mmCIF file of all heavy atoms in Angstrom:
data_model
loop_
_atom_site.group_PDB
_atom_site.id
_atom_site.type_symbol
_atom_site.label_atom_id
_atom_site.label_comp_id
_atom_site.label_asym_id
_atom_site.label_seq_id
_atom_site.Cartn_x
_atom_site.Cartn_y
_atom_site.Cartn_z
ATOM 1 N N VAL Q 6 -1.380 14.474 -1.345
ATOM 2 C CA VAL Q 6 -1.720 15.111 -2.608
ATOM 3 C C VAL Q 6 -0.801 16.304 -2.858
ATOM 4 O O VAL Q 6 -0.304 16.504 -3.965
ATOM 5 C CB VAL Q 6 -3.201 15.555 -2.620
ATOM 6 C CG1 VAL Q 6 -3.502 16.396 -3.857
ATOM 7 C CG2 VAL Q 6 -4.119 14.343 -2.577
ATOM 8 N N MET Q 7 -0.558 17.085 -1.815
ATOM 9 C CA MET Q 7 0.254 18.298 -1.949
ATOM 10 C C MET Q 7 1.714 17.969 -1.643
ATOM 11 O O MET Q 7 2.092 17.843 -0.482
ATOM 12 C CB MET Q 7 -0.249 19.386 -1.001
ATOM 13 C CG MET Q 7 -1.729 19.667 -1.143
ATOM 14 S SD MET Q 7 -2.137 20.142 -2.804
ATOM 15 C CE MET Q 7 -2.799 21.736 -2.534
ATOM 16 N N MET Q 11 6.157 17.274 -7.352
ATOM 17 C CA MET Q 11 5.109 16.689 -8.191
ATOM 18 C C MET Q 11 3.897 16.458 -7.300
ATOM 19 O O MET Q 11 4.026 15.877 -6.224
ATOM 20 C CB MET Q 11 5.619 15.347 -8.761
ATOM 21 C CG MET Q 11 4.617 14.614 -9.606
ATOM 22 S SD MET Q 11 5.165 12.943 -10.110
ATOM 23 C CE MET Q 11 6.609 13.274 -11.071
ATOM 24 N N ASP Q 12 2.721 16.871 -7.755
ATOM 25 C CA ASP Q 12 1.547 16.642 -6.907
ATOM 26 C C ASP Q 12 1.190 15.156 -6.891
ATOM 27 O O ASP Q 12 1.633 14.378 -7.737
ATOM 28 C CB ASP Q 12 0.363 17.518 -7.336
ATOM 29 C CG ASP Q 12 -0.231 17.135 -8.682
ATOM 30 O OD1 ASP Q 12 -0.393 15.936 -8.949
ATOM 31 O OD2 ASP Q 12 -0.554 18.051 -9.466
ATOM 32 N N GLY Q 13 0.401 14.780 -5.918
ATOM 33 C CA GLY Q 13 0.039 13.372 -5.741
ATOM 34 C C GLY Q 13 -0.729 12.788 -6.909
ATOM 35 O O GLY Q 13 -0.604 11.596 -7.208
ATOM 36 N N PHE Q 14 -1.531 13.612 -7.581
ATOM 37 C CA PHE Q 14 -2.302 13.122 -8.723
ATOM 38 C C PHE Q 14 -1.364 12.674 -9.851
ATOM 39 O O PHE Q 14 -1.534 11.606 -10.425
ATOM 40 C CB PHE Q 14 -3.255 14.211 -9.245
ATOM 41 C CG PHE Q 14 -4.211 14.731 -8.209
ATOM 42 C CD1 PHE Q 14 -4.258 16.084 -7.913
ATOM 43 C CD2 PHE Q 14 -5.075 13.883 -7.531
ATOM 44 C CE1 PHE Q 14 -5.145 16.584 -6.979
ATOM 45 C CE2 PHE Q 14 -5.957 14.368 -6.582
ATOM 46 C CZ PHE Q 14 -5.997 15.723 -6.302
ATOM 47 N N THR Q 15 -0.375 13.489 -10.133
ATOM 48 C CA THR Q 15 0.594 13.159 -11.186
ATOM 49 C C THR Q 15 1.426 11.942 -10.781
ATOM 50 O O THR Q 15 1.640 11.027 -11.586
ATOM 51 C CB THR Q 15 1.520 14.363 -11.463
ATOM 52 O OG1 THR Q 15 0.710 15.502 -11.762
ATOM 53 C CG2 THR Q 15 2.463 14.085 -12.613
ATOM 54 N N ALA Q 16 1.870 11.929 -9.532
ATOM 55 C CA ALA Q 16 2.655 10.781 -9.047
ATOM 56 C C ALA Q 16 1.829 9.501 -9.134
ATOM 57 O O ALA Q 16 2.335 8.446 -9.538
ATOM 58 C CB ALA Q 16 3.108 11.032 -7.610
ATOM 59 N N CYS Q 17 0.559 9.597 -8.785
ATOM 60 C CA CYS Q 17 -0.332 8.429 -8.842
ATOM 61 C C CYS Q 17 -0.459 7.921 -10.277
ATOM 62 O O CYS Q 17 -0.382 6.719 -10.522
ATOM 63 C CB CYS Q 17 -1.695 8.812 -8.273
ATOM 64 S SG CYS Q 17 -2.799 7.430 -8.023
ATOM 65 N N ARG Q 18 -0.637 8.836 -11.223
ATOM 66 C CA ARG Q 18 -0.729 8.426 -12.633
ATOM 67 C C ARG Q 18 0.547 7.723 -13.091
ATOM 68 O O ARG Q 18 0.498 6.718 -13.793
ATOM 69 C CB ARG Q 18 -1.014 9.640 -13.526
ATOM 70 C CG ARG Q 18 -2.487 9.957 -13.662
ATOM 71 C CD ARG Q 18 -2.763 10.946 -14.781
ATOM 72 N NE ARG Q 18 -2.132 12.241 -14.576
ATOM 73 C CZ ARG Q 18 -2.595 13.192 -13.772
ATOM 74 N NH1 ARG Q 18 -3.705 12.988 -13.087
ATOM 75 N NH2 ARG Q 18 -1.964 14.345 -13.659
ATOM 76 N N LYS Q 21 0.602 4.183 -11.521
ATOM 77 C CA LYS Q 21 -0.386 3.290 -12.131
ATOM 78 C C LYS Q 21 -0.079 2.990 -13.600
ATOM 79 O O LYS Q 21 -0.580 2.015 -14.144
ATOM 80 C CB LYS Q 21 -1.793 3.879 -12.001
ATOM 81 C CG LYS Q 21 -2.294 3.935 -10.568
ATOM 82 C CD LYS Q 21 -2.445 2.544 -9.978
ATOM 83 C CE LYS Q 21 -3.037 2.602 -8.580
ATOM 84 N NZ LYS Q 21 -3.444 1.303 -8.084
ATOM 85 N N MET Q 33 -4.596 8.205 -0.906
ATOM 86 C CA MET Q 33 -4.151 9.592 -0.933
ATOM 87 C C MET Q 33 -4.546 10.264 0.376
ATOM 88 O O MET Q 33 -5.695 10.185 0.796
ATOM 89 C CB MET Q 33 -4.739 10.330 -2.122
ATOM 90 C CG MET Q 33 -4.223 9.811 -3.444
ATOM 91 S SD MET Q 33 -4.602 10.945 -4.763
ATOM 92 C CE MET Q 33 -2.984 11.136 -5.444
ATOM 93 N N THR Q 35 -4.988 13.743 2.176
ATOM 94 C CA THR Q 35 -5.194 15.094 1.690
ATOM 95 C C THR Q 35 -6.003 15.945 2.652
ATOM 96 O O THR Q 35 -6.798 15.429 3.428
ATOM 97 C CB THR Q 35 -5.900 15.066 0.316
ATOM 98 O OG1 THR Q 35 -6.046 16.388 -0.168
ATOM 99 C CG2 THR Q 35 -7.254 14.408 0.400
ATOM 100 N N LEU Q 37 -7.627 18.344 1.072
ATOM 101 C CA LEU Q 37 -8.679 18.710 0.128
ATOM 102 C C LEU Q 37 -9.900 17.843 0.383
ATOM 103 O O LEU Q 37 -9.787 16.635 0.579
ATOM 104 C CB LEU Q 37 -8.193 18.502 -1.317
ATOM 105 C CG LEU Q 37 -6.913 19.237 -1.727
ATOM 106 C CD1 LEU Q 37 -6.477 18.785 -3.115
ATOM 107 C CD2 LEU Q 37 -7.127 20.742 -1.690
ATOM 108 N N ASP Q 39 -13.048 18.649 -1.476
ATOM 109 C CA ASP Q 39 -14.067 18.960 -2.480
ATOM 110 C C ASP Q 39 -14.203 17.798 -3.468
ATOM 111 O O ASP Q 39 -13.288 17.003 -3.663
ATOM 112 C CB ASP Q 39 -13.724 20.264 -3.206
ATOM 113 C CG ASP Q 39 -12.387 20.191 -3.911
ATOM 114 O OD1 ASP Q 39 -11.343 20.161 -3.215
ATOM 115 O OD2 ASP Q 39 -12.392 20.145 -5.152
ATOM 116 N N ARG Q 40 -15.351 17.703 -4.076
ATOM 117 C CA ARG Q 40 -15.647 16.597 -5.001
ATOM 118 C C ARG Q 40 -14.712 16.597 -6.220
ATOM 119 O O ARG Q 40 -14.349 15.541 -6.723
ATOM 120 C CB ARG Q 40 -17.098 16.657 -5.463
ATOM 121 C CG ARG Q 40 -18.069 16.362 -4.350
ATOM 122 C CD ARG Q 40 -19.421 15.998 -4.971
ATOM 123 N NE ARG Q 40 -20.426 15.726 -3.976
ATOM 124 C CZ ARG Q 40 -20.542 14.587 -3.310
ATOM 125 N NH1 ARG Q 40 -19.683 13.631 -3.511
ATOM 126 N NH2 ARG Q 40 -21.507 14.409 -2.440
ATOM 127 N N LYS Q 41 -14.339 17.770 -6.683
ATOM 128 C CA LYS Q 41 -13.455 17.862 -7.853
ATOM 129 C C LYS Q 41 -12.107 17.202 -7.553
ATOM 130 O O LYS Q 41 -11.570 16.457 -8.386
ATOM 131 C CB LYS Q 41 -13.266 19.332 -8.234
ATOM 132 C CG LYS Q 41 -12.468 19.533 -9.489
ATOM 133 C CD LYS Q 41 -12.364 21.010 -9.840
ATOM 134 C CE LYS Q 41 -11.468 21.176 -11.059
ATOM 135 N NZ LYS Q 41 -11.237 22.578 -11.373
ATOM 136 N N SER Q 42 -11.575 17.426 -6.372
ATOM 137 C CA SER Q 42 -10.290 16.814 -5.994
ATOM 138 C C SER Q 42 -10.432 15.308 -5.844
ATOM 139 O O SER Q 42 -9.551 14.549 -6.255
ATOM 140 C CB SER Q 42 -9.782 17.421 -4.681
ATOM 141 O OG SER Q 42 -9.529 18.795 -4.845
ATOM 142 N N LEU Q 43 -11.541 14.875 -5.253
ATOM 143 C CA LEU Q 43 -11.777 13.428 -5.122
ATOM 144 C C LEU Q 43 -11.857 12.779 -6.496
ATOM 145 O O LEU Q 43 -11.243 11.730 -6.739
ATOM 146 C CB LEU Q 43 -13.062 13.158 -4.335
ATOM 147 C CG LEU Q 43 -13.026 13.475 -2.847
ATOM 148 C CD1 LEU Q 43 -14.410 13.296 -2.238
ATOM 149 C CD2 LEU Q 43 -12.029 12.586 -2.130
ATOM 150 N N ARG Q 44 -12.617 13.418 -7.397
ATOM 151 C CA ARG Q 44 -12.748 12.869 -8.744
ATOM 152 C C ARG Q 44 -11.388 12.824 -9.436
ATOM 153 O O ARG Q 44 -11.030 11.820 -10.062
ATOM 154 C CB ARG Q 44 -13.738 13.693 -9.570
ATOM 155 C CG ARG Q 44 -14.080 12.988 -10.893
ATOM 156 C CD ARG Q 44 -15.082 13.725 -11.734
ATOM 157 N NE ARG Q 44 -14.333 14.652 -12.585
ATOM 158 C CZ ARG Q 44 -14.535 15.957 -12.654
ATOM 159 N NH1 ARG Q 44 -15.469 16.528 -11.930
ATOM 160 N NH2 ARG Q 44 -13.804 16.715 -13.448
ATOM 161 N N ARG Q 45 -10.627 13.867 -9.317
ATOM 162 C CA ARG Q 45 -9.280 13.908 -9.910
ATOM 163 C C ARG Q 45 -8.409 12.792 -9.366
ATOM 164 O O ARG Q 45 -7.649 12.145 -10.092
ATOM 165 C CB ARG Q 45 -8.627 15.258 -9.600
ATOM 166 C CG ARG Q 45 -8.282 16.034 -10.822
ATOM 167 C CD ARG Q 45 -7.605 17.324 -10.479
ATOM 168 N NE ARG Q 45 -6.192 17.204 -10.815
ATOM 169 C CZ ARG Q 45 -5.252 18.014 -10.384
ATOM 170 N NH1 ARG Q 45 -5.545 18.996 -9.572
ATOM 171 N NH2 ARG Q 45 -4.016 17.841 -10.757
ATOM 172 N N GLY Q 46 -8.513 12.541 -8.084
ATOM 173 C CA GLY Q 46 -7.727 11.485 -7.456
ATOM 174 C C GLY Q 46 -8.100 10.102 -7.969
ATOM 175 O O GLY Q 46 -7.238 9.290 -8.300
ATOM 176 N N PHE Q 47 -9.406 9.838 -8.038
ATOM 177 C CA PHE Q 47 -9.843 8.532 -8.535
ATOM 178 C C PHE Q 47 -9.486 8.356 -10.009
ATOM 179 O O PHE Q 47 -9.090 7.272 -10.436
ATOM 180 C CB PHE Q 47 -11.342 8.330 -8.313
ATOM 181 C CG PHE Q 47 -11.693 8.039 -6.877
ATOM 182 C CD1 PHE Q 47 -12.631 8.822 -6.215
ATOM 183 C CD2 PHE Q 47 -11.092 7.005 -6.180
ATOM 184 C CE1 PHE Q 47 -12.956 8.561 -4.892
ATOM 185 C CE2 PHE Q 47 -11.410 6.735 -4.861
ATOM 186 C CZ PHE Q 47 -12.348 7.525 -4.214
ATOM 187 N N GLU Q 48 -9.601 9.447 -10.775
ATOM 188 C CA GLU Q 48 -9.231 9.377 -12.195
ATOM 189 C C GLU Q 48 -7.735 9.136 -12.372
ATOM 190 O O GLU Q 48 -7.317 8.540 -13.358
ATOM 191 C CB GLU Q 48 -9.651 10.658 -12.915
ATOM 192 C CG GLU Q 48 -11.146 10.748 -13.140
ATOM 193 C CD GLU Q 48 -11.598 12.096 -13.701
ATOM 194 O OE1 GLU Q 48 -10.753 13.018 -13.814
ATOM 195 O OE2 GLU Q 48 -12.789 12.208 -14.016
ATOM 196 N N SER Q 49 -6.938 9.583 -11.433
ATOM 197 C CA SER Q 49 -5.489 9.367 -11.531
ATOM 198 C C SER Q 49 -5.078 7.977 -11.057
ATOM 199 O O SER Q 49 -3.931 7.578 -11.220
ATOM 200 C CB SER Q 49 -4.729 10.446 -10.754
ATOM 201 O OG SER Q 49 -4.960 10.312 -9.365
ATOM 202 N N GLY Q 50 -6.032 7.230 -10.471
ATOM 203 C CA GLY Q 50 -5.747 5.848 -10.075
ATOM 204 C C GLY Q 50 -5.743 5.579 -8.589
ATOM 205 O O GLY Q 50 -5.465 4.458 -8.165
ATOM 206 N N ALA Q 51 -6.059 6.580 -7.765
ATOM 207 C CA ALA Q 51 -6.097 6.356 -6.314
ATOM 208 C C ALA Q 51 -7.211 5.377 -5.973
ATOM 209 O O ALA Q 51 -8.249 5.341 -6.629
ATOM 210 C CB ALA Q 51 -6.317 7.682 -5.585
ATOM 211 N N ASN Q 52 -6.984 4.580 -4.956
ATOM 212 C CA ASN Q 52 -7.978 3.608 -4.522
ATOM 213 C C ASN Q 52 -8.812 4.103 -3.348
ATOM 214 O O ASN Q 52 -9.917 3.610 -3.120
ATOM 215 C CB ASN Q 52 -7.300 2.288 -4.133
ATOM 216 C CG ASN Q 52 -6.541 1.703 -5.291
ATOM 217 O OD1 ASN Q 52 -5.362 1.971 -5.470
ATOM 218 N ND2 ASN Q 52 -7.223 0.923 -6.104
ATOM 219 N N ASP Q 53 -8.269 5.059 -2.598
ATOM 220 C CA ASP Q 53 -8.986 5.559 -1.429
ATOM 221 C C ASP Q 53 -8.409 6.917 -1.043
ATOM 222 O O ASP Q 53 -7.314 7.288 -1.472
ATOM 223 C CB ASP Q 53 -8.849 4.565 -0.262
ATOM 224 C CG ASP Q 53 -9.928 4.733 0.805
ATOM 225 O OD1 ASP Q 53 -10.792 5.625 0.651
ATOM 226 O OD2 ASP Q 53 -9.890 3.975 1.782
ATOM 227 N N PHE Q 54 -9.162 7.641 -0.254
ATOM 228 C CA PHE Q 54 -8.726 8.935 0.271
ATOM 229 C C PHE Q 54 -8.897 8.933 1.770
ATOM 230 O O PHE Q 54 -9.816 8.295 2.297
ATOM 231 C CB PHE Q 54 -9.594 10.071 -0.296
ATOM 232 C CG PHE Q 54 -9.204 10.481 -1.661
ATOM 233 C CD1 PHE Q 54 -9.723 9.843 -2.775
ATOM 234 C CD2 PHE Q 54 -8.312 11.517 -1.851
ATOM 235 C CE1 PHE Q 54 -9.374 10.229 -4.036
ATOM 236 C CE2 PHE Q 54 -7.953 11.917 -3.121
ATOM 237 C CZ PHE Q 54 -8.480 11.270 -4.218
#
Side-chain angles (χ1 to χ4, degrees):
V6 172
M7 307 302 240
M11 178 187 298
D12 69 43
F14 303 123
T15 305
C17 190
R18 273 193 298 281
K21 293 296 184 168
M33 294 194 127
T35 182
L37 304 173
D39 60 290
R40 292 198 181 281
K41 185 178 176 185
S42 297
L43 290 174
R44 190 178 88 235
R45 241 182 107 196
F47 285 125
E48 286 173 354
S49 67
N52 300 91
D53 200 0
F54 280 87

